[in-house]
Amino acid sequence: MTDLEGMHSYFWLVSPRAKASAQEDVPYTSQALREDLLRVRNAWEESQASRQRDAIYGYLSSVFDLVAWWSAEKCALDRAHKALRLRNMNPFDDEEPFAAIIRCTSDASKVDKRTRSKWSRALRYTMLCKPCDEPLDQFIKRKGGINKCAARLSRRVGRRFGEMCPASLQRT
Amino acid sequence: MKHRMDKTLRFWVDAAYEHIKREHRKLTKRQLVAHVLRKYEQRGDAMRCLNSQGEIVWKASPRFLSMLADAERDAEDDLDDF
């Protein structure tokens, strides 16, 4: 059993005199968002420092996990745009959450617009199709890799667009 | 909604709850646990994610786990010295 007295008080100490509110839920503050972004940024740096071929999956998993729980709260777009603003970046028109988080946590010199778009499409496909209990890297590899997953999303969206639009619009 | 947590975080949140409960007799355990989680999240020790059922859960952050491992190693070293 862990001996509390023997451990540094940092771990269990929360100021007893700090005013605690009567709220039962935990609001997601800007400071919490900053901490989340810092963790994703750390994952980016680790992926860049690693020599392993699959190191990028660690970073993509961090991006995915963050946007996944935001999506479960139906706040992904607002929070992703807020994340950009916290980094003094302006959201692009229609910039979706994965692309926004990749833009504000990776290095623009290493991740160009095309790569960002490809990763973002692969993550969106993963969000649509991955079972909750399967690790991201396993799922993406099973589906043929990042490029294939990105292409699969494009095909899916294209098909849906085709179903919704008259033939004349599809050609434009 | 219930605050679901992993074992490590649950242990430390309970310890923090025991530490502050006497100062906040009018608040329920749920309210105080929410307060502790908020503090932990803001200092980067706790984070939210989805579990394998797609539910939002809390877990100890990688940084917190690594600090705990360091503290445990220090404690073991101190014990050896003693």
Side-chain angles (χ1 to χ4, degrees), chain A residues 95-130:
Chain A
E95 187 171 21
E96 54 76 37
F98 288 119
I101 297 306
I102 292 168
R103 187 155 71 92
C104 68
T105 56
S106 62
D107 293 318
S109 58
K110 291 181 179 168
V111 183
D112 62 12
K113 197 177 162 188
R114 282 183 67 182
T115 307
R116 198 166 63 231
S117 164
K118 182 174 72 183
W119 287 354
S120 156
R121 277 179 285 128
L123 291 175
R124 274 182 282 160
Y125 175 74
T126 304
M127 180 82 105
L128 285 173
C129 303
K130 185 179 83 62

